[in-house]
Amino acid sequence: MCVFCPRQENSAFRDVMTSLENQPRCRGLSFTSFLILPFQRITRLKLLVQNILKKAEEGSDIEASAVQAHQELEKIVKKCNEGVRKMSRTEELISIEKTLEFKSKSVPVISHSRWLLKRGELQQISGPKSTRTLRSRKLFQPLYLFLFNDLLLVTKKSSSGEKFQVLDSCTKALLRTEEQEDQGQTLAKAFLLRLIENQDGRDITYMLKASSDMEKRRWINALTPNPRTRFLTSNSNQPDSPQVQCILSYMAQEHDELSVEMADIINVLEKTEDGWMLGERLHDSEMGWFPSRVVEEIQNQELRAQNLRECQRIQQAQGNGARTVGTKGRRLRSSHQ
């Protein structure tokens, strides 16, 4: 998705921007990169203040100033994030709605409170599930799923591949998944998806097969988040959760992935055999999947405990900052009078 639509629609504008991007002074950076730079500076300032807060003596004037600065930066970052996210989500919903063709009952897709969580193709397994019939390709029918934060659309791609015919829909809260027991290689990547009440008010179950075990895990986590793993947080009662540190930057390719930067510390919630991890970044509690090749495990137990303590201190500063800053601020002002 392009963040600047006129570039797609106006050929003259596109040609000018391409010419500018090719100039040596741009150093090979795209127009979008320059738009992002101011926001990157703000997030770096926030990380800098977090590091100051970690090293500041508790109860000191430096801590009070750092807490106040962190609070203000947090407000700015949150406002910027919300603005960018809202614009991006709306553009994406508009783009998706243009590709949908409803078979019967139309479902309004565009909503200010809705966003896309995951989309992709799965194979529906239909008919008797014997070993012989499972070898038949006729039993596998491709379905394309659009999963939003409050809605699931089950669709089928058109022959052109540009349109999606909506076959079924269901509120996300009424979705249930179940992993298949070991029934051989054919069903190793399969799972059951139950729509307790679909668009027609019926209870219906799909048997779906993913392209890999990792993709199956990601779909299950997205469709029905497990509170024991998905919502595990760094300030929960987990004194020694597995941790990794980022050694290579990674940019998220899908909605359920986590972009990571060098030195990010991440709590590991789940691992797959094909090299992916589900984790929660300590400094901002953002959660998602990332490849294990871009991180290394933190083996030292004392270092893991220290990372958690520093994270909890920052979170406590955010929660109690107003009260702390009020007290410290009055003392700072009186000292300058």
Side-chain angles (χ1 to χ4, degrees), residues 296-311:
E296 64 180 8
E297 188 172 355
I298 298 175
Q299 302 284 353
N300 188 289
Q301 184 176 356
E302 290 184 9
L303 183 56
R304 292 196 298 269
Q306 179 183 331
N307 290 335
L308 284 176
R309 284 196 301 272
E310 290 176 348
C311 174

Side-chain angles (χ1 to χ4, degrees), residues 136-266:
S136 171
R137 292 185 178 180
K138 293 180 180 180
L139 288 175
F140 295 89
Q141 299 295 328
L143 293 178
Y144 199 95
L145 271 56
F146 290 92
L147 178 65
F148 304 95
N149 62 307
D150 60 348
L151 177 71
L152 171 71
L153 296 181
V154 180
T155 74
K156 182 180 179 181
K157 266 188 182 181
S158 64
S159 55
S160 65
E162 297 178 355
K163 296 286 186 177
F164 299 89
Q165 184 182 24
V166 179
L167 307 175
D168 210 346
S169 64
C170 182
T171 303
K172 187 173 182 287
L174 297 179
L175 299 176
R176 300 292 183 270
T177 57
E178 181 183 337
E179 291 195 61
Q180 291 292 281
E181 296 179 2
D182 187 12
Q183 299 185 37
Q185 188 175 2
T186 308
L187 290 179
K189 303 163 190 172
F191 65 96
L192 295 178
L193 171 61
R194 181 186 173 197
L195 282 57
I196 296 177
E197 185 178 335
N198 72 350
Q199 61 187 21
D200 300 320
R202 295 186 296 120
D203 188 327
I204 187 168
T205 299
Y206 294 89
M207 177 176 278
L208 303 172
K209 183 178 180 181
S211 58
S212 66
D213 182 64
M214 182 271 293
E215 190 64 15
K216 182 184 81 168
R217 294 295 328 140
R218 288 168 67 162
W219 270 111
I220 290 175
N221 271 285
L223 289 160
T224 51
N226 185 339
R228 289 176 299 174
T229 56
R230 187 72 173 176
F231 299 122
L232 190 66
T233 57
S234 54
N235 57 357
S236 63
N237 297 322
Q238 295 290 326
D240 192 28
S241 301
Q243 288 179 10
V244 293
Q245 182 169 14
C246 178
I247 56 175
L248 290 172
S249 296
Y250 176 75
M251 181 64 68
Q253 304 297 311
E254 296 186 32
H255 291 81
D256 61 345
E257 293 182 3
L258 178 69
S259 293
V260 291
E261 299 288 344
M262 294 275 287
D264 278 352
I265 306 295
I266 307 164

